[in-house]
């Protein structure tokens, strides 16, 4: 019993991680309420989640607000840019599916839309974790996030698949998420921590390479 409940036991480490994710989730939800701050909130969420996933987080609150404040301006600009691009994609889909272009033309345009939408979604998943881990101008952040999504397609697919699964369960089987209550308790942080391990594994290679180049 002493071993089971000791500070270093797997049980206590697991409970500590769950407690940290609950705190992180509450911070994320609270700072995302204004909506325009969502970019900074996503950056803080990913920064802290990656540190939780790799065991490098000493204080969830401190790590979260450090990243949130440091990246607030740039993350907000990027968030608004991504939101505008998503609006363009949505408008394109509405136009293509509601105007009469002919069967073949509509099929081609819809196919192109799906390819671009998929690439946009996967690249967007890399943006805020990248911003949380590296410095650079907004154009560099967007370009490097896109390039990384191409170079590491399995990571992007795994992250997108997890999010897609969670959305599907929430929409079609809401009882399994307590009709949305799970998301407000630990859901966002839980998904970010799982994906954080994936992104941290990718980014560590670039951090190591940069450290070797500067040595």
């Amino acid at each position: 019993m002493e071993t089971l409940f000791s500070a270093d036991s797997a049980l206590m480490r697991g409970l500590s991680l769950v407690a940290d994710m609950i705190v992180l989730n509450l911070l994320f939800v609270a700072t995302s309420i204004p909506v325009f701050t969502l970019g900074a909130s996503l950056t803080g969420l990913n920064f802290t989640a990656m540190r939780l996933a790799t065991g490098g987080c000493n204080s969830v609150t401190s790590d979260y607000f450090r990243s949130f404040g440091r990246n607030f301006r740039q993350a907000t600009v990027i968030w608004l840019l991504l939101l505008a691009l998503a609006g363009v994609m949505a408008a394109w889909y509405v136009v293509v599916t509601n105007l009469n272009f002919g069967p073949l033309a509509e099929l081609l345009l819809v196919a192109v839309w799906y390819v671009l939408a998929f690439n946009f979604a996967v690249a967007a998943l890399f943006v805020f974790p990248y911003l949380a881990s590296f410095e650079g101008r907004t154009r560099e952040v967007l370009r490097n996030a896109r390039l990384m999504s191409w170079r590491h397609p399995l990571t992007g697919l795994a992250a997108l698949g997890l999010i897609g699964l969670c959305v599907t369960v929430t929409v079609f089987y809401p009882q399994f998420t307590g009709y949305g209550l799970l998301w407000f308790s630990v859901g966002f942080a839980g998904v970010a921590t799982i994906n954080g391990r994936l992104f941290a594994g990718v980014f560590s290679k670039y951090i190591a390479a940069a450290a070797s180049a500067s040595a």
Side-chain angles (χ1 to χ4, degrees):
M1 294 298 290
E2 293 180 358
T3 302
L4 181 63
F5 292 102
S6 64
D8 294 331
S9 69
L11 174 63
M12 296 308 293
R13 290 198 304 270
L15 291 175
S16 177
L17 177 60
V18 171
D20 286 338
M21 288 193 297
I22 290 173
V23 173
L24 176 58
N25 205 76
L26 291 173
L27 291 173
F28 172 73
V29 171
T31 55
S32 298
I33 290 175
V35 179
F36 76 91
T37 63
L38 188 57
S41 299
L42 285 168
T43 306
L45 173 69
N46 281 282
F47 177 77
T48 311
M50 284 188 288
R51 290 176 66 84
L52 283 176
T54 57
C57 181
N58 294 319
S59 171
V60 170
T61 303
S62 177
D63 284 347
Y64 184 86
F65 282 112
R66 176 156 56 96
S67 179
F68 183 93
R70 182 180 60 197
N71 298 295
F72 181 83
R73 180 178 297 181
Q74 188 174 21
T76 301
V77 171
I78 291 174
W79 160 242
L80 294 176
L81 285 173
L82 292 178
L83 200 60
L85 287 173
V88 171
M89 295 295 296
W92 179 0
Y93 185 82
V94 170
V95 170
V96 168
T97 55
N98 285 277
L99 295 182
N100 186 15
F101 291 102
L104 180 59
E106 181 176 340
L107 178 63
L108 290 174
L109 289 171
V110 170
V112 171
W113 184 89
Y114 274 108
V115 171
L116 292 177
F118 175 78
N119 278 276
F120 172 77
V122 175
L125 287 178
F126 274 82
V127 169
F128 296 107
Y130 179 93
L131 181 60
S133 304
F134 302 96
E135 295 182 357
R137 296 182 177 181
T138 297
R139 180 178 298 180
E140 295 173 348
V141 172
L142 294 173
R143 177 175 60 84
N144 291 340
R146 186 181 73 252
L147 291 175
M148 283 189 177
S149 72
W150 291 347
R151 292 173 183 171
H152 306 278
L154 294 181
T155 298
L157 285 172
L160 187 63
L162 176 60
I163 294 173
L165 176 63
C166 292
V167 171
T168 300
V169 170
T170 301
V171 172
F172 295 102
Y173 306 97
Q175 63 272 21
F176 289 113
T177 63
Y179 297 93
L181 293 178
L182 179 65
W183 291 107
F184 291 98
S185 58
V186 72
F188 296 111
V191 172
T193 302
I194 295 172
N195 284 341
R197 184 172 294 278
L198 299 174
F199 289 122
V202 170
F203 297 154
S204 63
K205 301 174 184 177
Y206 294 91
I207 294 172
S212 299
S214 61

